[in-house]
Amino acid sequence: GPKVLQIPSHQIIDMGQMVTLNCDPVSNHLYFYWYKQILGQQMEFLVNFYNGKVMEKSKLFKDQFSVERPDGSYFTLKIQPTALEDSAVYFCASSFRQGSNERLFFGHGTKLSVL
Amino acid sequence: GDSVTQTEGLVTLTEGLPVMLNCTYQSTYSPFLFWYVQHLNEAPKLLLKSFTDNKRPEHQGFHATLHKSSSSFHLQKSSAQLSDSALYYCAGYQGGRALIFGTGTTVSVSP
């Protein structure tokens, strides 16, 4: 079936550095999402993105976070600078339409470890 | 505010026994609810979603019925298999554009 790819699967960086998490969504999908999952906790919504713009973001989406999808390439989540509490698994998801009955396709996640 | 609640953090059972995972919701809108399953080291994927025409969704032996009277969308299976061991999330829309997940229930099925 359709797959969302996330690169890399694991990233280790020092606190204060910048990190970019990459997501290759399903090819004909138009809506993109990031979720954050701290070890042992639930997945929490960060942001969703459509047509080059952030549509909605949660309070977890701090000022240090940004998203973009330049020229239809990877959908990226950038954190600059990183903090210890940013350590988590970040899941990217995509969907073809936006709607309350719409299915999201998730990637395997990128585990971010901030030291 | 709108929310999705899963009361069990961990469910352990023996293969062949029935399983039910609780999910209740609080929403000011007509709810659309989902069950996602995440196996170890895999991506979360859709298991079931609610319908508006009172159909009972079923997949891989799992089923769930949306009960508006009790604000519930419990997940059930009559006979658990070893391969059902996974993390199960109930999720729903809050009326906005964000799919919100419950805290998740880990199911551990043993022989």
Side-chain angles (χ1 to χ4, degrees), chain A residues 2-14:
Chain A
K3 289 194 185 298
V4 174
L5 301 177
Q6 289 189 242
I7 304 161
S9 58
H10 192 184
Q11 181 124 20
I12 303 172
I13 59 169
D14 292 324

Side-chain angles (χ1 to χ4, degrees), chain A residues 33 35 37 40-45 48 55-56 91 98-109, chain B residues 32 34 36 38 41-46 49-51 87 89 93 96-104:
Chain A
Y33 313 81
Y35 282 79
Q37 186 177 37
Q41 300 184 22
Q42 73 196 92
M43 264 199 307
E44 295 191 271
F45 169 76
N48 58 10
M55 296 175 65
E56 189 170 1
F91 288 96
Q98 177 80 72
S100 297
N101 207 22
E102 193 62 26
R103 170 182 180 176
L104 268 59
F105 289 82
F106 283 86
H108 280 64
Chain B
F32 285 97
F34 304 77
Y36 279 79
Q38 184 180 14
N41 298 323
E42 293 188 11
K45 57 185 179 184
L46 181 68
K49 62 180 181 179
S50 64
F51 288 90
L87 178 57
Y89 287 105
Y93 282 91
R97 302 186 183 96
L99 184 63
I100 303 302
F101 286 81
T103 49

